[in-house]
Structures are given as structure tokens and as C-alpha cells.
């Protein structure tokens, strides 16, 4: 495929991704696409194979405003809307889905502190998080409570002006390498109303980490257990009031689900572009694969699923930004649909690469590995199917 054809392919996909966006949104989308192409994509395989957490690259992204997309400007954020953030994470994910997914989690934590923290907490944590001088991790899941998050057991006993934490969190993105841990813990009785949210800083006595997990994908971000053994945290580090933690966690996840779905959309777009390029250069039976009507139809079906996923995600982002009654089910539906459909797109792209798609020299296999977990984290696909049925206003 010659340079002109490559440029036309990139332009076509960019224009499809830009439909319905304002001029300003197109501008920062282009900035994100360019950053993904120049600063992320060339290193994606290296980060994956060597399990490198690309701190300096993420700090460069933060200089463009991508470290605190939805955080208020008075504490260093970009003050973007949910739709704006979705556009950014989709574009960045075309360069490396794993790294972008971590950035989306970091952004979720920064938003939670900005939204539910007091002015002192916002001023203390948000500027460093928005610049990515410091990194954050979201700590909800435990070894015995995944989808049933309200049954978490990590306890926080009040002793004077301190909480004493005991328990552990599992599968924590960035665990051990990050600086700030937004922790859901039990300060009261059973159920969601007994849960509070504490900010725990790395280096706090009693805070430790498990071994670095070996994963199928998401290798550019470390994953470890986070362990609390008589870990003393000031009451001043609590976000909101006691018993508000579960609500804070769920509100964080509504935006998180949109962003993870956006990462899947970006990965799917990248795979479609890679497959289209491959079909132009790969020949079988004396002609390029691009001449096969069957494969043309397959690519058209993939592109249709991509655009449908993108529209669903952006609709959910608008609903959440406007605080509409149907926002929560729409966020769940968008995550369910986009993560499932986009994984299918990436998997089909691998298939259309043939044996080459199974080689680590070809990026398509990494996108498949990296976004498979999007159907699991921040609410498994099966559980997302429950939310529309539980919301009477939506029905």
C-alpha cells in the first residue's frame, strides 16, 4: 500500500470518527490521534513485551490536558465534558489500548476526588494527578467480592482522628507503582450503606502490595493486590461522609464504563485500518485480498459495528453529562455493546490477517489481547444486562 493510499485510509477513518463533533472537539481529537500515532503506537509492542509502565509518555499526554480530562480547571484539570473525554480516549487507544485504559482509570480517580472531595482535598491531590506527576489507582474489587462489590470486607475502624484499615484489594491497575489509592472500605454495617471512601497515599505504614500479576494483555500497566495491615489513614482523607463510599464508587464507574468502552472503540478502529492495509498488500491466488468481495463485505460489517458502537458510547456520554434519568442504563448498555462488538471486530481482524495475525510482529494480536478484559472489568458484560431492566424510568 503506497503512502497516498495510507493517508487516504487514515483520513477516511478520522472523518468517520469526527462525524457530529464540534470544531473544538475535532481539534483535540486530532491532537489525541497524532499523539497516539507518534508517541504511543511505535512503542506499544515494546511496552507489552517488556511490561513497561510508560510513565514519561503519560506525562507528555498530561501536558496536552489528558491527565484530568473531566476535572475542574481550578485544580489543574481540563474541564472537558463526558463526550469530550470519550473522544480523547477513543483516539488515544488507537496507539495503545492498554496504556489508554490505565489513563482512563487514573482520570476516573482524579474526577472522584475533584467531585466528592472538599477544597483542601482537591487542592492537595488533583494538581499532581492532572499533571500525572502522581498516578492513581481505583480500589474496589476484593478476592471475595467482584461483581458483588457491596459485600466487600476491607474494614476501616475509627480510632480518634484515624481510620485503621485491614483487608486487601485484588486486580488493582497500577498497584504498587502508583501514588494515590482511592479505596472503598467498610466503616459501618453490611451492605452498600456501610461503605466509605478513603484516599490512601503510597508509603503509608501498613500499606503493601502483592506480586505483579502475569496477564494475557494490559501489560503496559502493572496489576497487583493492595494489602492493608493496620494501615492508619487520617479521617481528613475520607471523601464525602461515612456511608457515601458505594455511591461514590458507582458514580465513578458510570464514567469509567464509558471510557473503557471508548478504548474498545479505538482499538477496533485501529484493527480495521490495519486489516484494510494488510488486504492491499497480501496476495493469494494471484491477486490482493482487497479484491475479494467476501472480505470486502466482512470489512464493511466490521465498520458498521464500529460506528454503531461509537454512536452508542457517545449517546451514553451525553446522557451522563446531562444527568438524565436514563444515564446509568445507557452507560451499561454502551459498555456491554461496545466491548462485545469491538472485541469481535478485533478478533475478526486477526482472522483476516491469517497466520500473520497470530504473530507478535503484527499489532492486531495485541489489540485482541488488550481489550478482551474490557468485557470483564468495571462490571462484567453479563451484569450490565441487568441495569436496563432495573431502571423503571428507562423502560
Amino acid at each position: 500500500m503506497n503512502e497516498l493510499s495510507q493517508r487516504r485510509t487514515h483520513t477516511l477513518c478520522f472523518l468517520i470518527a469526527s462525524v457530529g463533533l464540534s470544531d473544538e472537539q475535532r481539534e483535540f481529537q486530532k491532537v489525541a490521534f497524532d499523539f497516539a500515532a507518534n508517541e504511543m503506537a511505535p512503542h506499544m509492542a515494546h511496552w507489552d513485551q517488556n511490561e513497561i509502565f510508560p510513565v514519561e509518555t503519560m506525562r507528555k499526554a498530561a501536558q496536552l490536558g489528558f491527565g484530568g480530562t473531566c476535572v475542574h480547571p481550578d485544580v489543574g484539570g481540563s474541564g472537558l465534558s463526558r463526550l469530550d473525554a470519550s473522544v480523547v480516549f477513543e483516539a488515544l487507544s488507537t496507539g495503545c489500548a492498554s496504556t489508554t485504559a490505565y489513563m482512563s482509570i487514573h482520570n476516573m480517580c482524579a474526577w472522584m476526588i475533584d467531585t466528592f472531595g472538599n477544597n483542601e482535598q482537591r487542592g492537595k491531590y488533583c494538581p499532581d494527578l492532572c499533571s500525572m506527576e502522581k498516578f492513581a489507582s481505583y480500589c474496589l474489587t476484593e478476592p471475595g467480592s467482584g461483581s458483588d462489590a457491596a459485600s466487600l470486607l476491607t474494614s476501616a475502624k475509627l480510632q480518634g482522628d484515624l481510620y485503621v484499615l485491614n483487608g486487601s484489594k485484588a486486580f488493582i491497575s497500577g498497584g504498587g507503582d502508583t501514588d494515590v489509592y482511592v479505596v472503598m472500605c467498610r466503616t459501618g454495617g453490611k451492605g452498600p450503606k456501610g461503605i466509605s471512601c478513603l484516599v490512601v497515599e503510597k508509603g503509608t505504614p501498613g500499606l503493601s502490595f502483592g506480586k505483579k500479576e502475569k496477564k494475557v494483555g494490559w501489560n503496559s500497566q502493572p496489576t497487583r493486590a493492595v494489602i492493608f495491615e493496620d494501615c492508619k489513614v487520617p479521617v481528613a482523607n475520607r471523601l464525602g461522609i461515612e456511608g457515601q463510599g458505594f455511591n461514590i464508587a458507582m458514580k465513578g464507574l458510570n464514567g469509567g464504563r464509558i471510557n473503557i468502552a471508548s478504548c474498545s472503540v479505538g482499538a477496533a478502529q485501529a484493527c480495521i485500518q490495519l486489516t484494510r492495509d494488510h488486504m492491499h498488500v497480501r496476495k493469494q491466488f494471484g491477486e490482493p485480498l482487497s479484491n475479494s468481495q467476501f472480505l470486502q463485505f466482512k470489512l464493511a460489517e466490521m465498520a458498521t459495528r464500529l460506528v454503531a458502537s461509537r454512536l452508542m458510547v457517545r449517546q451514553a456520554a451525553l446522557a451522563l453529562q446531562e444527568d438524565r434519568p436514563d444515564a446509568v442504563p445507557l452507560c451499561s448498555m454502551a459498555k456491554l455493546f461496545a466491548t462485545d462488538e469491538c472485541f469481535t471486530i478485533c478478533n475478526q481482524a486477526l482472522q483476516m490477517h491469517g497466520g500473520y495475525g497470530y504473530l507478535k510482529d503484527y499489532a492486531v494480536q495485541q489489540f485482541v489481547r488488550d481489550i478482551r478484559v474490557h468485557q470483564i472489568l468495571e462490571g462484567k458484560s453479563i451484569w450490565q444486562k441487568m441495569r436496563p431492566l432495573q431502571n423503571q424510568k428507562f423502560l
Side-chain angles (χ1 to χ4, degrees):
M1 192 177 191
N2 62 37
E3 185 179 351
L4 178 61
S5 297
Q6 288 177 334
R7 192 178 300 118
R8 285 173 175 169
T9 299
H10 177 78
T11 301
L12 175 64
C13 287
F14 176 75
L15 289 174
I16 292 173
S18 300
V19 170
L21 300 181
S22 67
D23 290 343
E24 184 180 13
Q25 288 168 332
R26 287 191 177 96
E27 282 300 316
F28 58 68
Q29 181 190 53
K30 184 179 184 302
V31 171
F33 268 131
D34 289 345
F35 186 86
N38 298 322
E39 301 290 342
M40 299 175 79
H43 310 292
M44 184 178 86
H46 178 67
W47 295 339
D48 173 68
Q49 292 171 18
N50 295 281
E51 298 185 2
I52 293 171
F53 193 40
V55 168
E56 294 306 319
T57 299
M58 289 189 286
R59 285 177 176 156
K60 288 182 181 179
Q63 291 174 7
L64 300 174
F66 302 150
T69 51
C70 295
V71 175
H72 288 93
D74 67 311
V75 286
S78 299
L80 300 182
S81 71
R82 291 294 186 180
L83 176 57
D84 298 339
S86 172
V87 170
V88 166
F89 291 123
E90 177 188 329
L92 290 176
S93 194
T94 61
C96 180
S98 168
T99 303
T100 305
Y102 168 74
M103 290 178 63
S104 80
I105 296 168
H106 170 92
N107 270 260
M108 177 174 66
C109 293
W111 175 85
M112 291 166 69
I113 295 173
D114 180 45
T115 303
F116 297 100
N118 56 38
N119 286 335
E120 183 179 348
Q121 292 165 335
R122 294 174 66 241
K124 180 179 180 180
Y125 295 111
C126 289
D128 284 344
L129 293 178
C130 292
S131 67
M132 288 188 136
E133 283 304 309
K134 292 186 177 180
F135 295 88
S137 291
Y138 178 83
C139 301
L140 176 64
T141 299
E142 296 184 0
S145 62
S147 298
D148 183 16
S151 68
L152 65 83
L153 296 176
T154 295
S155 65
K157 303 296 184 183
L158 185 61
Q159 292 184 4
D161 60 354
L162 298 171
Y163 284 107
V164 181
L165 271 70
N166 282 284
S168 64
K169 298 294 181 178
F171 310 125
I172 303 305
S173 295
D177 283 39
T178 50
D179 308 284
V180 175
Y181 297 84
V182 181
V183 181
M184 268 44 73
C185 51
R186 190 163 300 284
T187 54
K190 294 182 179 180
K193 293 183 179 180
I195 297 171
S196 298
C197 181
L198 300 180
V199 178
V200 183
E201 299 176 33
K202 188 177 183 180
T204 302
L207 172 64
S208 61
F209 307 97
K211 66 177 179 63
K212 186 177 178 181
E213 304 289 359
K214 304 295 289 185
K215 307 188 299 292
V216 172
W218 269 28
N219 290 316
S220 69
Q221 49 170 295
T223 301
R224 294 183 178 91
V226 177
I227 304 163
F228 307 98
E229 297 174 297
D230 291 331
C231 180
K232 296 179 180 178
V233 179
V235 171
N237 284 26
R238 187 187 66 220
L239 298 182
I241 61 175
E242 276 202 3
Q244 193 182 0
F246 191 76
N247 178 263
I248 293 172
M250 293 302 104
K251 286 186 177 296
L253 284 178
N254 289 333
R257 286 168 180 151
I258 291 172
N259 291 339
I260 284 295
S262 302
C263 291
S264 290
V265 173
Q269 173 166 327
C271 283
I272 288 175
Q273 290 178 261
L274 290 168
T275 303
R276 181 173 175 174
D277 293 350
H278 179 75
M279 286 170 58
H280 280 283
V281 298
R282 174 66 170 163
K283 292 184 177 180
Q284 287 291 280
F285 306 105
E287 59 181 358
L289 294 181
S290 57
N291 289 354
S292 166
Q293 189 176 60
F294 174 79
L295 294 179
Q296 291 172 9
F297 285 175
K298 277 291 183 184
L299 203 62
E301 291 169 1
M302 292 157 66
T304 302
R305 290 192 176 100
L306 169 69
V307 173
S309 297
R310 178 182 292 125
L311 291 173
M312 200 161 189
V313 170
R314 292 184 180 177
Q315 172 68 13
L318 283 171
L320 187 62
Q321 184 68 33
E322 296 168 359
D323 197 25
R324 285 169 23 194
D326 59 352
V328 173
L330 283 175
C331 289
S332 290
M333 294 170 74
K335 181 180 183 294
L336 167 67
F337 187 83
T339 59
D340 283 354
E341 290 296 319
C342 291
F343 178 76
T344 299
I345 291 168
C346 294
N347 197 41
Q348 182 62 49
L350 189 155
Q351 185 72 23
M352 291 168 71
H353 275 71
Y356 292 102
Y358 205 63
L359 300 180
K360 287 195 173 181
D361 293 330
Y362 288 74
V364 66
Q365 52 76 33
Q366 187 174 333
F367 284 113
V368 171
R369 289 186 290 108
D370 281 342
I371 73 163
R372 177 61 182 87
V373 74
H374 294 188
Q375 296 167 288
I376 299 172
L377 58 87
E378 297 191 11
K380 297 183 185 69
S381 291
I382 187 66
W383 290 108
Q384 301 311 309
K385 296 179 182 181
M386 299 297 294
R387 290 185 179 272
L389 300 177
Q390 293 170 342
N391 190 291
Q392 296 300 317
K393 294 179 181 178
F394 180 78
L395 294 174

